[in-house]
Amino acid sequence: MYGWQVAALICGLACSTQRVSGQTPSAPAGLVEVTGRVVNALTGAAIPRALVTLNSRTVLSDAEGNFSFPQFQPNASGVQAYVLAQKPGFAAALNPLESMAQQAVADVTAPLELKLYPDGLISGRVTNARGEPLSKLQVTVFRESGDDTQTRMQPVGLTMTDFHGEYRFDQPPGHYAVLLRYTSHGDDPEEVVLPVRFPEQSESSGAGSFPLSPGEQRTVDIQAKTGFAVPVTLKMDDSGERFGGLRVQAQAGSGSSLSLDAQASRSHGEYRVDLPPGVYSLHAARQVRDRRMEAESRVTVLEHGTAPVTLHFAELPLLPVQVVLDTSASGSTSGLQATQGITVQTPTPATFNLRLQKIAAAEEDEFSEIGLSSTGNSFFFEAGPGRYQLLSQGGGNWFIERASYGATDLLSHPLAVSSGAGGETIRLTVSSAIGQVAGTVRRNGAGASGYVYLFPHEASLTTLYPVRSEADGTFSHRLPPGTYTAVAFDHRYPGDLHDPAIKAEMLRLGATVQVTAGGQASVDLDQQPIEEVK
């Protein structure tokens, strides 16, 4: 611990018994001592040596979980208080989006109780059909995560089964899936372990996940499916060029995806992969200098040998992104900008936090989300063949009125990139004729901190706008003109806000608000119980 932190902690503990009306005798007028305790949310037991942050100040809790921040200027003097407690093995919130976010505190003169949730345990045993343990197999755990605009399964842990076929993951509360990866096993290189996922995926249930509660011990035993594989030789069509590692993915006709371990052969420019008999679509990727190259091919793997497959690599098309100003709406400063003194700077594509999200991408597809790249003043996406949704997380004082890719309207249709096609330009027509919505979030009739979600009714690259209310419940946010449904909760909603059923329930619970260019709309919201949204 730094010396100033030790001094602050010692001072806080020494002065805590002298506190009168939230102020120490030696503290200057208007300053208070903020005290509190960090506890286990399940047992109420004290958590020692937790890192507690109050705005930009930090201390460690003592052996009894107590902490103190002397001489803090409260919100009555214009300073809002935000706190966060952290310790390895614990999470600050049940929702992963809130675990690293400081929470607003309305009253710092009363002792604070900060709750931390203990991690859960996911463990299990991998066996074959005879119940025998399988060691040295790769197990991955995926967690449902993302931001308010997107929820997806991401890998958060990787381990190998031990001699007894066992594995374990310590993870914070959340929703998870466990995957036994496709791999060779044993001394026989032709024997492979086929991928097994828990829970299983299906078109009706989506990605599928199971909940892990704080402190829960969840057992996920996996019975591996084994088979035999046939070696397949992959030949590079430009083997003289130096490049990085080769990544190969095989898509079976059943829809399952296999990530293959490509081993370099003794022959220059050749690699070997092992595949069970069947028909596959191969997708290979490699890095050549500063460009990513991809190749696609189909292969029929036969039991008694398969002819070599030649991969024809090509550079991914660059999709330039161009911003066009709507001068009819943006040529003059709007009334809202004039009254608030907002300086409007000419936007670039980077202003709008753009990304391409691949539609129906496999969990293991490392290129399922593509960020915007730039060289000098040029902006572009480097995207392989597939169908993508263009997304934006807003642009401050600007918004996207129209987006097109050739003849495709990207506000309401996906962007399709075909193999070997040249890159069309993505054109964004933008405007600064922005509006604003403001209001108050209430709990039991009084203003309260919370989270507000604003769902646009019109087609948009930004599918929802999240905003956090202050401790007194007030909030404001700049929005493009249009109609919105606003709904408020006391904390971030933990589910997928793009699930049609969840979104329909949100729209039912919320209030409608109309935002006009340069106007200021108002809406007051009562916090809704999270459990009402199924």
Side-chain angles (χ1 to χ4, degrees):
M1 186 190 302
Y2 296 103
W4 65 269
Q5 292 175 316
V6 175
L9 180 58
I10 294 174
C11 175
L13 295 174
C15 297
S16 62
T17 58
Q18 305 176 27
R19 179 178 179 187
V20 179
S21 301
Q23 182 175 327
T24 66
S26 59
L31 299 182
V32 300
E33 179 189 4
V34 180
T35 64
R37 190 165 180 256
V38 184
V39 299
N40 185 311
L42 297 187
T43 65
I47 298 180
R49 298 189 63 77
L51 183 68
V52 183
T53 303
L54 174 65
N55 289 1
S56 60
R57 299 167 61 182
T58 58
V59 297
L60 288 174
S61 62
D62 65 12
E64 300 301 323
N66 298 311
F67 64 88
S68 171
F69 292 92
Q71 299 189 5
F72 178 77
Q73 185 181 26
N75 56 0
S77 303
V79 178
Q80 177 66 58
Y82 291 94
V83 297
L84 175 66
Q86 298 171 274
K87 181 164 182 168
F90 292 86
L94 295 176
N95 189 329
L97 294 176
E98 298 180 31
S99 291
M100 298 299 294
Q102 290 181 296
Q103 302 298 312
V105 178
D107 181 14
V108 295
T109 62
L112 306 177
E113 183 177 74
L114 305 183
K115 296 181 179 180
L116 293 180
Y117 299 86
D119 285 352
L121 172 65
I122 302 172
S123 63
R125 191 166 179 257
V126 180
T127 60
N128 59 21
R130 298 183 297 275
E132 300 166 338
L134 298 178
S135 62
K136 299 181 181 180
L137 294 186
Q138 192 177 91
V139 182
T140 305
V141 62
F142 290 82
R143 185 182 186 185
E144 190 176 278
S145 61
D147 52 33
D148 287 312
T149 62
Q150 182 185 24
T151 300
R152 55 195 179 275
M153 300 298 290
Q154 290 188 317
V156 292
L158 173 66
T159 190
M160 303 290 286
T161 57
D162 62 16
F163 178 77
H164 303 286
E166 296 176 348
Y167 71 92
R168 62 176 289 156
F169 297 101
D170 294 302
Q171 293 291 332
H175 285 75
Y176 293 89
V178 175
L179 175 68
L180 179 65
R181 292 181 178 271
Y182 173 78
T183 182
S184 60
H185 181 261
D187 297 328
D188 184 356
E190 294 185 356
E191 182 182 7
V192 293
V193 176
L194 301 176
V196 178
R197 186 187 190 278
F198 178 85
E200 292 184 1
Q201 291 175 290
S202 67
E203 293 184 1
S204 59
S205 62
S209 62
F210 60 86
L212 182 70
S213 302
E216 179 184 1
Q217 296 186 17
R218 182 69 180 251
T219 300
V220 178
D221 291 331
I222 298 175
Q223 181 174 308
K225 301 175 182 178
T226 58
F228 75 96
V230 177
V232 178
T233 299
L234 305 179
K235 291 187 174 183
M236 309 296 103
D237 60 351
D238 52 353
S239 57
E241 182 125 37
R242 296 180 61 85
F243 59 88
L246 181 67
R247 301 182 300 280
V248 183
Q249 198 164 44
Q251 190 83 21
S254 62
S256 61
S257 182
L258 309 179
S259 293
L260 305 180
D261 183 17
Q263 301 289 334
S265 300
R266 292 183 178 180
S267 299
H268 185 64
E270 291 187 358
Y271 282 76
R272 165 184 161 162
V273 295
D274 297 316
L275 279 168
V279 179
Y280 300 91
S281 296
L282 296 182
H283 182 188
R286 67 181 189 179
Q287 196 75 21
V288 179
R289 295 185 298 275
D290 60 344
R291 290 297 305 274
R292 186 161 61 90
M293 305 185 71
E294 293 188 358
E296 291 185 334
S297 183
R298 287 185 65 83
V299 58
T300 300
V301 180
L302 305 175
E303 294 184 10
H304 304 294
T306 300
V309 177
T310 300
L311 298 177
H312 302 283
F313 281 90
E315 290 186 349
L316 295 182
L318 299 184
L319 312 181
V321 182
Q322 179 184 23
V323 167
V324 179
L325 301 185
D326 181 355
T327 55
S328 64
S330 306
S332 61
T333 304
S334 71
L336 176 65
Q337 295 156 358
T339 57
Q340 296 190 352
I342 298 173
T343 300
V344 179
Q345 298 179 339
T346 302
T348 69
T351 303
F352 302 96
N353 301 298
L354 298 168
R355 67 180 186 271
L356 288 177
Q357 179 64 41
K358 197 170 188 178
I359 297 173
E363 285 176 343
E364 295 184 80
D365 187 349
E366 58 182 297
F367 304 117
S368 61
E369 184 172 293
I370 302 172
L372 189 67
S373 301
S374 64
T375 301
N377 294 323
S378 300
F379 295 86
F380 55 88
F381 287 108
E382 193 175 11
R387 297 171 69 248
Y388 301 86
Q389 183 180 5
L390 179 62
L391 299 172
S392 166
Q393 289 180 281
N397 299 319
W398 294 86
F399 69 95
I400 298 172
E401 285 185 319
R402 295 182 295 277
S404 62
Y405 179 70
T408 303
D409 177 8
L410 297 181
L411 293 185
S412 53
H413 295 86
L415 184 156
V417 180
S418 57
S419 179
E424 292 260 11
T425 297
I426 298 174
R427 288 184 170 81
L428 309 176
T429 303
V430 304
S431 170
S432 64
I434 204 82
Q436 180 169 285
V437 63
T440 301
V441 175
R442 298 174 300 213
R443 181 170 60 239
N444 299 326
S449 63
Y451 291 85
V452 178
Y453 297 103
L454 296 144
F455 294 86
H457 290 200
E458 292 82 12
S460 172
L461 299 185
T462 305
T463 52
L464 69 90
Y465 296 83
V467 57
R468 178 173 165 177
S469 66
E470 299 293 342
D472 63 357
T474 58
F475 70 92
S476 64
H477 198 69
R478 291 191 293 275
L479 290 171
T483 305
Y484 297 82
T485 293
V487 61
F489 300 97
D490 63 343
H491 58 274
R492 289 181 186 268
Y493 184 74
D496 183 359
L497 293 169
H498 297 89
D499 181 282
I502 293 177
K503 185 175 180 180
E505 190 66 10
M506 290 278 192
L507 298 180
R508 184 187 69 81
L509 293 172
T512 302
V513 58
Q514 184 73 37
V515 177
T516 59
Q520 300 190 58
S522 177
V523 60
D524 292 331
L525 302 168
D526 291 323
Q527 285 184 356
Q528 301 295 328
I530 288 284
E531 57 270 15
E532 286 198 12
V533 182
K534 305 300 183 183

